[in-house]
């Protein structure tokens, strides 16, 4: 099957496209010479240069959603575009809060299945997607067997974003159409958590803590080391579920995917759920008191020891270096 | 569009009771080794447990019904009825009844097929609110709840960090990249909750005993008027192959003898992070 055309859902954030959106556009143009992007919020004209630079000829924009959550209206707009312009071979959607909503809504609207948690997508005489399972030890390769469009929800950092130097995309306004009661969820206010230091997904150094820290107060050790290394502080699902730190810190299958220069896992045993989110790190350092912890199987450097002793000593050593 | 469902514009100004459906899944214990069958379905022959991710939704629902004063929680689940201990756990926590759709023909159903089954079962209950986890802890597809909402014609608010009901409106703090958004929606609505939204209660002995006599309705796909679209035959995607990922080699592992921190610093030096 030749891949004639691909649509990429690109997510606006503070007047620019998210990094994952650019990664998807970059990869889409390696699969097809006919790439269009779809966005929402009415900033289309401002985003067109960026979308074009990364390979989209056209940027379809729903315009303002009047504070509706994007899932239902954007899916309706895409369904409307398919009805008028025909279906593309594939629709690529970022794994994000809104991306997942759009994918689920679109799947049900079109009565087409959806493939999620994708970390690779290749043309093997038709598109074949890759999905890590069991902590990334095995890769499932999957394909759609029925009529398109295939809906692919792709994880962050699966591809590297590279500019193609293309001209600004032409902006096409698309209608949302009828959404019945589905688009009535409305954002009334937005709150930003205070953040110091680099973003988790972008930091060159990520220091993460897990259940081995013993109690919530000890997460301060993780924050301190992250700060000393000019890195970001992450967490395993276990301590996020326990309420020690916010979900935004979570690294893993259900959290963020990180690929820093060095990932320092402290008191993290290495549950499959966690490993898939950090396995792509260039270097992995693990500190755990259990020599049999699975994390040591993927660590480049490991210390079998008590985090309550090693981490304060590490802080002192880093402070001593200034 | 869907007979039996209350639509937003038909709702009386204030609910007198809250009836909530919580979608739950019984999964193989994530702590036990996992494997695929030759069919590429997840091996589910071991003991099944209530997905921990679902305990937050059950707890949230129980608290919202308590706050409303009247109403009840119904858990809806698709999967084998051979082992109902996970569903019983939800009943022991305080849910009033369960509907389980169990049918060999449903083995291998994909996310959209699952959503069709759940939506058909939820229609029978006609709830004010549907709650689900953001994703299951075995499959992680993460789209089923929103597919259910679309099939039911309901609004949805995903990734809830907190949920309150105010009259006929649900108010949610929704996780975002930057922090959170306050989001409101008229009822009926579907909400997915993140872990940690509430602290799930442990089932009491009394609750466990009471759960034994609570109604568990078992349905087949045919009972819900579904057949051809579900099961592996209805899945319009297939697994091409399962391959072993490139393994990471284990590196230098040292036992801490008071020098662990210095060794880490030396390693960070060697990779030029310091």
């Amino acid at each position: 099957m030749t891949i004639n055309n691909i649509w990429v859902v690109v997510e606006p954030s503070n007047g620019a496209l998210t990094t994952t959106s650019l990664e998807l556009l970059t990869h889409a143009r390696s699969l097809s010479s006919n790439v269009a992007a779809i966005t929402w919020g009415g900033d289309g004209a401002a985003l067109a240069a960026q979308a074009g630079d990364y390979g989209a000829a056209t940027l379809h924009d729903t315009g303002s959603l009047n504070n509706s959550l994007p899932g239902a209206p954007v899916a309706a707009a895409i369904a409307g575009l398919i009805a008028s312009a025909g279906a593309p071979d594939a629709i690529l959607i970022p794994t994000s809060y809104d991306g997942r909503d759009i994918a689920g809504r679109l799947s049900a609207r079109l009565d087409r299945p959806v493939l999620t948690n994708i970390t690779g997508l290749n043309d093997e005489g038709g598109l074949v997607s890759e999905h890590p399972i069991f902590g990334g030890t095995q890769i499932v390769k999957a394909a759609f067997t029925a009529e398109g469009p295939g809906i692919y929800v792709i994880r962050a950092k699966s591809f590297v974003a590279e500019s193609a130097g293309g001209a600004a995309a032409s902006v096409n306004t698309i209608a949302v159409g009828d959404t019945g009661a589905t688009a009535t969820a409305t954002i009334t206010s937005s709150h930003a958590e205070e953040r110091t230091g680099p973003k988790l997904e972008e930091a060159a150094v990520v220091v993460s803590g897990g259940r081995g820290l013993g109690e919530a107060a000890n997460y301060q050790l993780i924050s301190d080391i992250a700060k000393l290394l000019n890195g970001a502080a992450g967490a395993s699902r276990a301590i996020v579920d326990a309420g020690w730190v916010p979900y935004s810190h979570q690294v893993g299958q259900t959290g963020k995917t990180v690929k820093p220069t060095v990932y320092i896992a402290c008191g993290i045993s290495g549950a499959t759920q966690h490993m898939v989110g950090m396995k792509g790190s260039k270097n992995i350092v693990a500190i755990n008191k259990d020599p049999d912890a699975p994390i040591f199987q993927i660590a480049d450097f490991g210390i079998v020891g008590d985090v309550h002793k090693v981490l304060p000593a590490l802080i002192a050593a880093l402070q001593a270096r200034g | 569009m869907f007979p039996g469902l209350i639509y937003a514009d038909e709702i009386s100004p204030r609910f007198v009771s809250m009836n909530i459906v919580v979608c739950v899944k019984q999964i193989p214990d994530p702590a036990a080794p996992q494997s695929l069958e030759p069919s590429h379905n997840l091996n589910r022959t071991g003991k099944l447990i209530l997905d921990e991710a679902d305990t937050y939704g059950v707890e949230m629902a129980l608290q919202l019904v308590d706050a409303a004063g009247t109403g009840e929680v119904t858990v809806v689940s698709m999967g084998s009825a051979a082992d109902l201990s996970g569903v019983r756990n939800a009943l022991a926590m305080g849910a009033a009844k369960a509907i389980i759709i169990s049918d060999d023909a449903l083995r291998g159903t994909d996310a959209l097929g699952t959503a069709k089954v759940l939506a058909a079962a939820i229609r029978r209950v006609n709830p004010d609110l549907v709650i689900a986890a953001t994703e299951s802890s075995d499959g992680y597809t993460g789209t089923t709840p929103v597919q259910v909402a679309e099939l039911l014609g309901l609004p949805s608010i995903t990734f809830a960090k907190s949920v309150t009901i105010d009259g006929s409106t649900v108010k949610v703090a929704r996780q975002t990249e930057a922090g959170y958004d306050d989001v409101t929606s008229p009822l009926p609505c579907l909400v997915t909750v993140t872990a940690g939204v509430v602290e799930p209660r442990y089932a009491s002995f009394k609750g466990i005993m009471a759960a034994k006599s609570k109604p568990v309705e078992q349905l087949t796909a045919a009972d819900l008027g579904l057949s051809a679209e579900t099961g592996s035959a209805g899945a319009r995607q297939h697994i091409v192959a399962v391959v072993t990922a490139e393994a990471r080699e284990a590196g230098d592992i040292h036992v801490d003898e008071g020098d662990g921190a210095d060794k880490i610093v030396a390693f960070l030096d060697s990779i030029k992070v310091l």
Side-chain angles (χ1 to χ4, degrees):
Chain A
M1 185 186 96
T2 315
I3 298 153
N4 291 314
N5 56 343
I6 296 179
W7 293 354
V8 181
V9 171
V10 294
E11 202 167 354
S13 174
N14 298 320
L17 296 176
T18 62
T19 306
T20 315
S21 303
L22 302 179
E23 291 164 3
L24 267 50
L25 280 174
T26 304
H27 191 66
R29 69 173 199 257
S30 77
L31 296 169
S32 169
S33 55
N34 188 355
V35 176
I38 298 166
T39 196
W40 63 91
D43 286 335
L47 302 175
Q50 206 181 9
D53 191 18
Y54 283 80
T58 306
L59 178 64
H60 302 285
D61 182 10
T62 65
S64 168
L65 298 176
N66 298 317
N67 296 321
S68 276
L69 282 184
V74 173
I78 296 172
L81 187 60
I82 288 171
S84 63
D89 294 310
I91 301 175
L92 276 44
I93 302 178
T95 300
S96 64
Y97 303 114
D98 291 333
R100 282 173 38 166
D101 283 2
I102 293 166
R105 290 275 176 187
L106 185 62
S107 160
R109 252 189 181 261
L110 299 178
D111 194 22
R112 291 286 174 277
V114 57
L115 286 166
T116 66
N117 283 314
I118 294 169
T119 56
L121 184 65
N122 302 304
D123 185 358
E124 299 178 9
L127 288 174
V128 174
S129 55
E130 296 181 353
H131 312 249
I133 59 165
F134 304 154
T137 54
Q138 294 183 60
I139 307 286
V140 168
K141 294 185 166 197
F144 289 113
T145 53
E147 190 188 343
I151 304 171
Y152 301 90
V153 187
I154 301 176
R155 290 184 68 88
K157 293 191 165 57
S158 299
F159 314 110
V160 176
E162 283 172 16
S163 157
S170 60
V171 178
N172 173 44
T173 303
I174 52 174
V176 167
D178 181 23
T179 52
T182 61
T184 51
T186 306
I187 301 167
T188 55
S189 60
S190 294
H191 306 263
E193 279 164 7
E194 255 183 68
R195 195 200 321 262
T196 54
K199 285 175 74 174
L200 189 55
E201 310 93 299
E202 291 165 8
V205 177
V206 173
V207 187
S208 280
R211 188 77 85 177
L213 291 172
E215 57 180 292
N218 288 334
Y219 191 78
Q220 187 61 42
L221 298 168
I222 302 299
S223 306
D224 289 350
I225 296 169
K227 197 171 175 189
L228 284 162
L229 294 171
N230 193 27
S236 71
R237 178 175 170 175
I239 68 167
V240 172
D241 286 3
W244 296 4
V245 288
Y247 179 71
S248 53
H249 289 259
Q250 187 171 318
V251 172
Q253 178 82 39
T254 52
K256 297 207 163 68
T257 304
V258 298
K259 292 189 176 179
T261 307
V262 62
Y263 186 90
I264 307 177
C266 309
I268 291 176
S269 63
T272 59
Q273 136 79 251
H274 187 73
M275 305 263 243
V276 75
M278 43 67 79
K279 211 168 159 257
S281 304
K282 201 166 170 206
N283 296 279
I284 295 172
V285 175
I287 307 157
N288 201 296
K289 67 179 179 198
D290 176 7
D292 297 323
I295 192 81
F296 286 125
Q297 290 164 21
I298 64 162
D300 300 286
F301 192 83
I303 295 293
V304 179
D306 184 351
V307 288
H308 304 98
K309 289 179 183 157
V310 176
L311 297 185
L314 182 57
I315 289 169
L318 291 171
Q319 280 169 339
R321 289 179 56 116
Chain B
M1 193 161 33
F2 297 109
L5 247 188
I6 303 168
Y7 283 87
D9 52 4
E10 298 167 8
I11 291 168
S12 54
R14 202 167 178 87
F15 278 102
V16 288
S17 78
M18 278 297 295
N19 287 314
I20 303 178
V21 161
V22 184
C23 299
V24 304
K25 189 173 185 183
Q26 301 190 124
I27 64 168
D29 188 344
Q34 296 180 315
S35 63
L36 294 181
E37 296 174 343
S39 63
H40 293 142
N41 285 327
L42 183 63
N43 184 336
R44 297 178 190 276
T45 52
K47 185 175 166 46
L48 298 177
I49 62 167
L50 179 65
D51 187 343
E52 194 192 344
D54 293 330
T55 60
Y56 301 96
V58 172
E59 179 64 39
M60 188 79 249
L62 292 170
Q63 291 188 13
L64 292 174
V65 168
D66 279 350
T70 56
E72 64 180 20
V73 175
T74 305
V75 294
V76 172
S77 186
M78 184 182 110
S80 169
D83 181 351
L84 285 176
S85 51
V87 166
R88 292 275 178 213
N89 186 16
L91 295 174
M93 285 174 72
K97 61 182 198 285
I99 300 173
I100 181 152
I101 307 94
S102 177
D103 193 328
D104 283 345
L106 293 173
R107 192 104 167 88
T109 299
D110 66 11
L112 181 56
T114 303
K116 288 176 181 177
V117 170
L118 294 174
I122 292 166
R123 256 181 223 130
R124 297 178 154 223
V125 183
N126 192 17
D128 303 305
L129 182 68
V130 181
I131 296 180
T134 57
E135 66 240 308
S136 67
S137 304
D138 58 347
Y140 291 114
T141 308
T143 56
T144 305
V146 174
Q147 288 167 322
V148 167
E150 183 70 23
L151 292 167
L152 293 173
L154 295 180
S156 58
I157 308 176
T158 49
F159 297 97
K161 289 156 60 89
S162 73
V163 184
T164 53
I165 304 288
D166 182 4
S168 57
T169 300
V170 58
K171 295 184 172 182
V172 167
R174 180 183 188 245
Q175 180 74 44
T176 63
E177 286 297 329
Y180 68 96
D181 286 347
D182 291 315
V183 182
T184 64
S185 169
L187 295 173
C189 179
L190 178 143
V191 172
T192 73
V193 295
T194 60
V197 66
V198 280
E199 184 65 34
R201 69 192 69 183
Y202 287 104
S204 64
F205 178 72
K206 199 177 149 199
I208 293 166
M209 295 311 288
K212 291 181 200 279
S213 57
K214 285 181 176 174
V216 177
E217 187 181 8
Q218 287 191 27
L219 300 173
T220 63
D223 290 335
L224 293 170
L226 300 164
S227 54
E229 297 162 332
T230 49
S232 54
R236 290 162 294 175
Q237 61 212 40
H238 76 294
I239 291 178
V240 178
V242 178
V243 297
T244 302
E246 203 176 314
R248 266 190 99 106
E249 300 274 318
D252 291 338
I253 310 296
H254 304 272
V255 176
D256 179 37
E257 287 164 353
D259 57 353
D262 290 337
K263 285 202 161 95
I264 292 169
V265 171
F267 178 77
L268 295 178
D269 258 333
S270 76
I271 58 169
K272 299 187 169 59
V273 164
L274 291 179

